[in-house]
Amino acid sequence: MSQRSPKTERGDALAIICGGGSLPFAVADAAIRRGRRVVLFALRGWADPQRVAAYPHHWSWMGQFGRFRRVAAREGCRDVVFIGSVVRPSFAQLRPDLWALPLIPRLVRLFRGGDDHLLSGVGRILEEHGFRLLGPQEVAPELLMPPGVVGAQTPSGRDWADVTRGVALLRATSPFDIGQAAVVANNQVLALEGPEGTDQMLARVADLRRAGRIQSSLGAGVLVKATKVGQNPRLDPPSIGPQTVEGTAAAGLAGIAVIAGTTIVAEPERIAAIADRAKIFIVGVNPDGSAP
Amino acid sequence: MSQRSPKTERGDALAIICGGGSLPFAVADAAIRRGRRVVLFALRGWADPQRVAAYPHHWSWMGQFGRFRRVAAREGCRDVVFIGSVVRPSFAQLRPDLWALPLIPRLVRLFRGGDDHLLSGVGRILEEHGFRLLGPQEVAPELLMPPGVVGAQTPSGRDWADVTRGVALLRATSPFDIGQAAVVANNQVLALEGPEGTDQMLARVADLRRAGRIQSSLGAGVLVKATKVGQNPRLDPPSIGPQTVEGTAAAGLAGIAVIAGTTIVAEPERIAAIADRAKIFIVGVNPDGSAP
């Protein structure tokens, strides 16, 4: 491993493979504040072109491993962070370049399974080719959810019961590599996240409420997000952003609980302000769902 | 228990508390074919008035326990079957009559939890008042899904892998009293049923496919339905009907797997015909998901 010293072989610029949403830019800004040079590898179709333009960047299609390897080497990047929403692509959406062609049988196998299976496989491919995969929490620990509440609202005793049940459910479903989020209200599980993602799941809960299928009153129920047991925390860590808070409020829930120290909060001040306006609590809890 | 002999105390007519869909009528017809007198207690807002009219019946609102007890006694009914879709009512939708008023604190507690919790509580209340709660499978065993395939299509090896994963997932989520159904395609869990019910869950999978969020090809994936572990099989047994088959086809799945002997199939011949036309398999499996 000695020839892989970051400063000697490829330099210490940070490559950020950049999906959708504001999280990649929060990570980039945090790394830059720490004095690191950052190069965005923006994924066409996902990354926001206007925001990407403010940083050194290269655009590429998903699957262009060869191009990524070449450009990252030229830019002196050995450390790689893969961050931002990428709705699971279909295999047909990949545009493998020549270098990636020999990887296709392996990619086909990775596509047969859940998100973790796919992401950790892609992570391993990067590492086998001399890159070092870092989690956003390693380059920007200040973006991690702290223990306790953010904002002015606090969970009630009933809310805590829903949090515990939600965390237990997510632990039980971890081996099945489903979603990272669930909604529990008055001890009733209203939704478990699938490939639709958190925002769509919250919209579903709002629909259920409009259709009269939820018996709990407005302002009861919790969105719970947690890392899957055994998930590589460097890939696709759970995150909450302004949209999550707005979706939680629209679904008529009381608040949001995430595991402290493993969940990314893109814009903490803005999120606290939105939560306070919507009277939504946001709390960082222990991995077993208990109060910190 | 001797004073509860069905023939002496209250006679042997069968009360069918009748929700939505065609299942209550399939159960009624099967009981009548066996020579039993049947009285429908049709729930306003759920039961189909046109079909109810063909049987001896009484209409009532959900929560009219007193009225039910009085009329059922007059009709000579001690055995009760509770069958048909009843989207979980909100507490406000109940119209308890005078007799039911003392039960309200208990009902409030029942409403704090999943469907099983609610249904089994209502079942216990009926039994405490001298009724005998029967499952539809007890009065009409010919409606139970047999082991093996119904119709012409058979599951592939890949389909069997999805069936096994789906059954394992439903077993893992049983303690959380969520839904009885899941969709798995190419080893990826696409959806777990919540209070929205099977038809809406299938519509969600169809939406995910249209939005390009499912990487598996058309004609891959299985709808799996199973009784929750520990569920009272007399209440809300899983069932499939023509709509289930049509929804499965519309979601682009390969077929349906249910646990043989515990799942109700309302109209087996019609369902087989629809499945054959849509090239959908329907298979009854062992409780662990293996082939019978």
Side-chain angles (χ1 to χ4, degrees):
Chain A
M1 301 297 276
S2 62
Q3 89 273 25
R4 289 198 190 171
S5 148
K7 308 248 169 180
T8 54
E9 199 200 19
R10 291 192 186 170
D12 59 355
L14 176 68
I16 300 183
I17 302 179
C18 173
S22 57
L23 218 42
F25 311 107
V27 172
D29 292 345
I32 291 165
R33 276 196 303 270
R34 287 163 179 261
R36 193 147 193 196
R37 198 167 79 81
V38 158
V39 182
L40 301 191
F41 289 80
L43 292 173
R44 285 186 200 280
W46 303 113
D48 176 345
Q50 285 201 313
R51 298 198 64 182
V52 164
Y55 304 81
H57 67 275
H58 303 276
W59 284 96
S60 51
W61 295 102
M62 226 173 302
Q64 295 187 305
F65 278 106
R67 179 177 147 75
F68 172 74
R69 202 168 73 141
R70 203 169 55 241
V71 178
R74 201 174 64 212
E75 290 279 9
C77 302
R78 192 177 76 99
D79 291 353
V80 180
V81 171
F82 193 160
I83 181 84
S85 62
V86 176
V87 168
R88 188 191 177 82
S90 78
F91 190 75
Q93 282 174 293
L94 290 186
R95 307 210 182 175
D97 51 24
L98 269 180
W99 186 84
L101 287 180
L103 295 170
I104 285 186
R106 192 163 162 196
L107 288 171
V108 168
R109 283 193 304 275
L110 290 178
F111 265 87
R112 304 190 62 163
D115 287 346
D116 270 12
H117 182 66
L118 176 60
L119 280 171
S120 60
V122 171
R124 264 196 309 278
I125 291 174
L126 288 172
E127 295 198 316
E128 285 168 20
H129 290 89
F131 292 99
R132 185 167 70 170
L133 186 70
L134 294 179
Q137 64 277 34
E138 290 167 297
V139 298
E142 65 268 41
L143 299 181
L144 288 176
M145 178 72 185
V149 293
V150 162
Q153 307 292 319
T154 54
S156 70
R158 189 188 59 184
D159 295 330
W160 276 114
D162 289 340
V163 172
T164 310
R165 193 164 175 85
V167 171
L169 170 65
L170 291 173
R171 290 176 77 98
T173 56
S174 271
F176 298 93
D177 197 0
I178 318 178
Q180 299 174 314
V183 174
V184 183
N186 266 344
N187 214 32
Q188 188 196 9
V189 178
L190 299 183
L192 179 68
E193 183 185 311
E196 73 277 12
T198 305
D199 294 339
Q200 294 267 322
M201 179 189 64
L202 288 171
R204 183 160 93 235
V205 173
D207 285 345
L208 284 171
R209 194 181 287 284
R210 268 191 294 275
R213 299 201 177 187
I214 298 178
Q215 86 289 0
S216 56
S217 56
L218 264 175
V222 182
L223 166 68
V224 182
K225 296 197 78 165
T227 321
K228 286 169 235 174
V229 178
Q231 179 184 339
N232 181 342
R234 292 183 167 141
L235 285 163
D236 196 26
S239 65
I240 55 172
Q243 240 182 314
T244 322
V245 183
E246 280 154 11
T248 301
L253 304 177
I256 301 174
V258 300
I259 310 298
T262 70
T263 306
I264 310 281
V265 184
E267 300 161 87
E269 299 80 15
R270 199 173 143 216
I271 280 180
I274 298 174
D276 287 352
R277 248 196 327 274
K279 302 221 179 301
I280 290 290
F281 70 78
I282 304 181
V283 65
V285 306
N286 293 331
D288 65 355
S290 63
Chain B
M1 302 298 277
S2 62
Q3 88 274 24
R4 288 199 189 171
S5 148
K7 309 249 169 177
T8 54
E9 198 199 18
R10 290 192 186 169
D12 58 356
L14 176 68
I16 300 183
I17 302 179
C18 173
S22 57
L23 217 43
F25 311 107
V27 172
D29 292 345
I32 291 165
R33 274 196 304 270
R34 287 164 178 261
R36 192 146 194 196
R37 199 168 77 81
V38 159
V39 181
L40 301 192
F41 290 81
L43 292 173
R44 283 186 202 280
W46 303 112
D48 176 346
Q50 285 201 311
R51 299 198 63 181
V52 164
Y55 304 82
H57 68 275
H58 303 276
W59 283 97
S60 51
W61 295 102
M62 226 173 301
Q64 295 187 306
F65 279 107
R67 177 175 149 75
F68 172 75
R69 203 168 74 139
R70 201 169 58 241
V71 178
R74 201 174 65 213
E75 290 278 10
C77 302
R78 193 177 75 99
D79 291 352
V80 180
V81 171
F82 194 161
I83 180 84
S85 61
V86 177
V87 168
R88 188 189 177 83
S90 78
F91 189 75
Q93 282 174 293
L94 290 185
R95 308 213 181 171
D97 51 24
L98 269 179
W99 185 85
L101 287 180
L103 295 171
I104 285 185
R106 192 162 161 196
L107 288 171
V108 168
R109 282 195 303 276
L110 290 178
F111 265 86
R112 304 190 62 163
D115 287 347
D116 270 12
H117 182 66
L118 175 60
L119 280 171
S120 61
V122 171
R124 265 195 309 276
I125 291 174
L126 287 172
E127 295 199 316
E128 285 167 20
H129 290 89
F131 291 99
R132 184 167 69 170
L133 186 70
L134 295 179
Q137 63 277 34
E138 289 166 298
V139 298
E142 64 269 41
L143 299 181
L144 288 176
M145 178 72 185
V149 292
V150 162
Q153 306 292 319
T154 54
S156 69
R158 188 188 60 185
D159 295 330
W160 276 113
D162 288 340
V163 172
T164 310
R165 193 164 176 86
V167 171
L169 170 66
L170 291 172
R171 291 176 77 97
T173 56
S174 272
F176 298 93
D177 197 1
I178 319 178
Q180 299 174 314
V183 175
V184 183
N186 267 345
N187 215 32
Q188 188 196 8
V189 178
L190 298 183
L192 179 68
E193 183 185 310
E196 73 278 11
T198 305
D199 294 338
Q200 294 267 323
M201 178 189 63
L202 287 171
R204 184 160 93 236
V205 173
D207 285 345
L208 283 172
R209 194 181 286 285
R210 269 190 294 274
R213 298 200 177 186
I214 298 178
Q215 86 289 0
S216 57
S217 55
L218 264 175
V222 182
L223 166 68
V224 182
K225 296 197 77 164
T227 322
K228 286 169 236 176
V229 177
Q231 178 184 340
N232 182 341
R234 292 183 168 141
L235 285 163
D236 195 25
S239 66
I240 55 172
Q243 240 182 313
T244 321
V245 183
E246 280 154 12
T248 301
L253 304 177
I256 300 173
V258 301
I259 310 299
T262 68
T263 306
I264 309 282
V265 184
E267 300 162 87
E269 298 80 15
R270 199 173 144 217
I271 280 180
I274 298 174
D276 287 352
R277 248 196 327 272
K279 303 224 178 303
I280 290 290
F281 70 78
I282 304 181
V283 65
V285 306
N286 293 330
D288 65 356
S290 62

